[in-house]
Amino acid sequence: MKCVDTCDDCNDVTGVCDQGCLPGFTGYVCQEDCPYGLFGHKCTNECNDTCTGCNNVNGLCDRGCHPGWKGDYCDIACPHGLFGEDCTGECNENCTGCNNVNGVCDRGCNPGWMGDYCDIVLTKQPSGGWFGGLVFLVSTHLFCGQAEITESEKRKPSRIVNEPLKTVHC
């Protein structure tokens, strides 16, 4: 029986891989790639969870990275100011820093701005407080109005709600 080139050492008579498989391969005669998500010797290493898939031999993320990550092993977060697929999204300029995956301004907003994406403008009042047009959800009723925002509240990251957005005209 012919030996395959993915064997570490092959029995020329039986074709069985007596010493196991080369890194990245598995099976009785080493003809199967490591299962998806695994790589290396005896397929015991796990691909980085920021990979969309990795090379069965060396673990390189040859199928790309999940949004927010880059590098050969998808182990480098997008640089400051960028986010998303291939780090091509730009954070809102009103953010003090945004999430590398989805662009949410999770590090706060520059003075005069608020909201998950720092896209709600605030107006500084003579009293020193901040005022802005806000929409409040109370139970199932929407109210539009003005609200005073303290300096400490303005800097807190906004809560993200995973619900469809509704258009509200005030």
Side-chain angles (χ1 to χ4, degrees):
M1 180 172 232
K2 184 175 189 259
C3 294
V4 294
D5 60 358
T6 54
C7 278
D8 193 7
D9 186 26
C10 179
N11 183 310
D12 291 334
V13 176
T14 64
V16 174
C17 301
D18 292 334
Q19 300 297 315
C21 304
L22 291 177
F25 298 92
T26 187
Y28 187 64
V29 289
C30 301
Q31 290 186 319
E32 300 170 35
D33 287 349
C34 289
Y36 182 81
L38 300 175
F39 72 95
H41 183 69
K42 295 186 179 183
C43 302
T44 56
N45 299 311
E46 291 185 24
C47 299
N48 192 330
D49 62 359
T50 55
C51 282
T52 55
C54 77
N55 181 286
N56 63 304
V57 176
N58 58 24
L60 284 173
C61 298
D62 56 4
R63 296 179 195 157
C65 301
H66 289 298
W69 300 92
K70 65 180 193 162
D72 291 339
Y73 295 94
C74 299
D75 56 348
I76 302 169
C78 292
H80 182 78
L82 299 176
F83 70 94
E85 190 78 32
D86 297 322
C87 300
T88 56
E90 293 186 28
C91 300
N92 186 323
E93 63 185 15
N94 303 315
C95 286
T96 56
C98 77
N99 182 286
N100 64 304
V101 176
N102 59 21
V104 169
C105 300
D106 57 2
R107 294 178 188 99
C109 301
N110 288 327
W113 296 91
M114 68 174 286
D116 290 338
Y117 296 92
C118 298
D119 55 355
I120 300 171
V121 67
L122 299 173
T123 305
K124 185 126 176 141
Q125 299 299 307
S127 65
W130 292 91
F131 283 84
L134 304 175
V135 177
F136 297 94
L137 178 62
V138 179
S139 184
T140 58
H141 300 82
L142 287 170
F143 298 94
C144 296
Q146 299 256 316
E148 185 168 355
I149 314 240
T150 65
E151 191 68 25
S152 63
E153 289 173 324
K154 183 173 64 73
R155 295 197 179 273
K156 290 181 187 172
S158 300
R159 184 176 63 87
I160 301 168
V161 178
N162 292 324
E163 295 175 2
L165 295 174
K166 296 177 180 80
T167 303
V168 178
H169 300 284
C170 297

